């Protein structure tokens, strides 16, 4: 009986985590998807660091960068762009 309860609890947890992704897809299903203007990996020692750059839809004078690493460390930064200095 104890084994059945433990198995049931584990299945419930697995089901919830799977459905959480499904819930997120349903909740944001009507949102627009925007591709980054640039995406790449940073070569860093021992970590898989990914970088995504984009321009917000409502402000072409801003650039944003999102960095994500394997150790749950992430960050976002946005900065103004001087259009006169662009190539």
């Amino acid at each position: 009986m104890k084994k059945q309860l433990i198995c049931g609890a584990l299945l419930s947890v697995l089901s919830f985590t799977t459905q959480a992704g499904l819930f997120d897809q349903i909740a944001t299903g009507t949102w627009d998807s925007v591709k980054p203007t640039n995406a790449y990996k940073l070569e860093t020692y021992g970590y898989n660091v990914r970088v995504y750059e984009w321009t917000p839809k409502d402000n072409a004078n801003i650039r944003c960068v999102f960095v994500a690493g394997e150790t749950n460390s992430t960050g976002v930064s946005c900065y103004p762009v001087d259009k006169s200095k662009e190539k």
Side-chain angles (χ1 to χ4, degrees), residues 1-75:
M1 180 69 171
K2 218 178 206 183
K3 287 182 182 180
Q4 289 175 333
L5 287 175
I6 292 172
C7 287
L10 286 174
L11 286 174
S12 295
V13 169
L14 289 173
S15 176
F16 176 76
T17 56
T18 304
Q19 290 176 3
L22 178 63
F23 175 77
D24 185 53
Q25 288 178 354
I26 292 169
T28 61
T30 59
W31 294 9
D32 291 339
S33 291
V34 178
K35 292 190 178 198
T37 55
N38 207 348
Y40 48 92
K41 291 181 186 177
L42 267 182
E43 193 169 321
T44 57
Y45 180 77
Y47 297 101
N48 178 17
V49 177
R50 298 171 315 281
V51 179
Y52 302 92
E53 300 176 3
W54 74 95
T55 302
K57 289 174 100 175
D58 63 343
N59 191 344
N61 297 318
I62 296 289
R63 298 294 183 275
C64 294
V65 179
F66 171 76
V67 179
E70 289 181 0
T71 59
N72 293 331
S73 57
T74 60

